[in-house]
Amino acid sequence: MTTQGPVHLRWRAASAAPETETFPDLDAALDAVEARWETLRHQAPQILDARRILLISTEQLEAAMVEDDDEAGS
């Protein structure tokens, strides 16, 4: 599921303004979300395309992380 980049990961930490990080493609952004899920899960993460249009919502990321946990437990 590779989307041409750049792709942006946006989340809200303690500040009112969202923080963003840029990745070369969707796979890299998803890898970063997976690696930092325990922190990001409570910070409304979203993945946006190069035009900053929503690609993957917080709810979709949460569902994907739950699926990954279920597969790892089987």
Side-chain angles (χ1 to χ4, degrees), residues 25 36 61 71:
D25 58 37
R36 295 185 279 175
L61 287 170
E71 289 175 8

Side-chain angles (χ1 to χ4, degrees), residues 34-71:
E34 185 175 10
R36 295 185 279 175
W37 182 244
E38 287 306 313
T39 301
L40 287 174
R41 70 186 300 172
H42 303 292
Q43 297 177 346
Q46 299 174 324
I47 297 180
L48 313 166
D49 71 5
R51 298 171 294 166
R52 301 206 186 252
I53 295 173
L54 184 65
L55 287 176
I56 303 176
S57 70
T58 301
E59 292 79 17
Q60 291 169 315
L61 287 170
E62 187 171 301
M65 294 304 130
V66 168
E67 286 176 14
D68 285 350
D69 286 346
D70 290 346
E71 289 175 8

Side-chain angles (χ1 to χ4, degrees), residues 7-13 17-23 33 40 43-48 52-54 56 58 61:
V7 176
H8 307 281
L9 170 60
R10 177 173 63 189
W11 71 96
R12 288 194 183 273
E19 297 185 42
T20 61
E21 187 173 345
T22 303
F23 297 91
V33 169
L40 287 174
Q43 297 177 346
Q46 299 174 324
I47 297 180
L48 313 166
R52 301 206 186 252
I53 295 173
L54 184 65
I56 303 176
T58 301
L61 287 170

